Amino acid sequence: LQAEGDVDTRSGRLIPEMDRIMLAPGNYRVAVQVLDKRSGKSQVYNQTRVIPSFETEEKLQISDVELAAQIDVADAGKFLKGDISVVPLASKAYQSGQPVFIYYELYHLKRDDFGATKYRISYEVKSKDNTSLGAKVLGGLGKLLGQRTEGEVITIEYEQAGQQVQEQGYLQLDMSSSEAGTQVLTVTVTDDNSGQTAQASTTFRIQ
């Protein structure tokens, strides 16, 4: 891979890149090497990943939660997932005042007798360092049911209906009033038609 066009190379700037690889479910080791041709320095990043199977139609499932630098509805671009552009944020670190974007996918929602799906999404942000949290919803899919803060935990709830058994979801938060620290984000989906629930978690840092 090679950066093309004008790239902002100032210190601390984000230079996102992505490649698509078709893989079967299983266990994998991913290695990414970056070489700076000017200095000759290089670094290799290794990570083990488990790719689950989403073929069990009787079971509600949720993908991993992806942290993003930007999410927009679009019809073109290399970061496109369906009609949503998701610019990845591999560092999982947000500067103070930078919006927090999260993306995920749902699988095997159940339709009712009229072919409609109905489900609820709960987002929980908890401070791992027991620091003060504050959040304002800037955007998301569905109908906002409410938001509450209890100590170092923020809970946001959405309701959504549709016709597809597979859906995309995302949320944009303003956490500029939160103190620096590591946050644990948990997304829980409850299918009102089947009664099943599924959950996924990730961590991010506010700097």
Side-chain angles (χ1 to χ4, degrees), residues 1-201:
L1 297 175
Q2 179 176 326
E4 297 178 358
D6 295 330
V7 178
D8 185 348
T9 57
R10 288 177 293 170
S11 177
R13 295 298 174 180
L14 175 68
I15 306 177
E17 187 55 79
M18 183 181 71
D19 196 15
R20 298 182 188 274
I21 304 172
M22 299 299 295
L23 296 172
N27 299 313
Y28 294 88
R29 183 174 68 86
V30 181
V32 179
Q33 181 179 21
V34 177
L35 171 64
D36 185 337
K37 289 188 174 182
R38 179 166 294 179
S39 67
K41 295 179 180 180
S42 68
Q43 184 173 359
V44 178
Y45 175 80
N46 292 281
Q47 186 183 66
T48 57
R49 297 291 295 172
V50 177
I51 298 181
S53 172
F54 294 99
E55 296 180 353
T56 306
E57 296 185 4
E58 295 80 13
K59 181 181 178 182
L60 176 67
Q61 291 179 279
I62 183 172
S63 69
D64 287 344
V65 177
E66 180 177 359
L67 297 169
Q70 184 70 40
I71 294 179
D72 293 297
V73 176
D75 55 9
K78 64 180 178 180
F79 301 119
L80 211 59
K81 298 175 186 286
D83 60 356
I84 299 176
S85 175
V86 182
V87 180
L89 186 70
S91 66
K92 297 186 177 183
Y94 294 90
Q95 300 296 321
S96 178
Q98 180 184 4
V100 174
F101 293 89
I102 67 168
Y103 172 87
Y104 57 90
E105 295 176 356
L106 304 176
Y107 302 90
H108 312 308
L109 293 164
K110 185 178 180 180
R111 294 187 177 102
D112 63 16
D113 294 340
F114 302 97
T117 62
K118 184 180 179 183
Y119 55 96
R120 287 168 285 128
I121 303 291
S122 173
Y123 304 93
E124 181 188 271
V125 182
K126 182 177 181 181
S127 171
K128 196 173 182 180
D129 304 321
N130 295 320
T131 57
S132 176
L133 286 181
K136 179 181 178 181
V137 177
L138 297 178
L141 290 178
K143 176 185 177 183
L144 179 63
L145 295 178
Q147 175 179 332
R148 63 180 184 273
T149 301
E150 298 177 355
E152 294 84 29
V153 180
I154 296 173
T155 304
I156 301 165
E157 293 182 299
Y158 271 85
E159 181 181 65
Q160 191 160 345
Q163 287 81 40
Q164 304 301 318
V165 296
Q166 178 177 330
E167 293 281 8
Q168 298 169 291
Y170 63 83
L171 183 70
Q172 178 184 356
L173 291 175
D174 175 1
M175 298 194 66
S176 57
S177 59
S178 297
E179 295 180 1
T182 300
Q183 320 301 331
V184 180
L185 168 68
T186 302
V187 181
T188 304
V189 54
T190 302
D191 189 332
D192 289 338
N193 290 335
S194 69
Q196 295 183 342
T197 62
Q199 192 175 82
S201 298

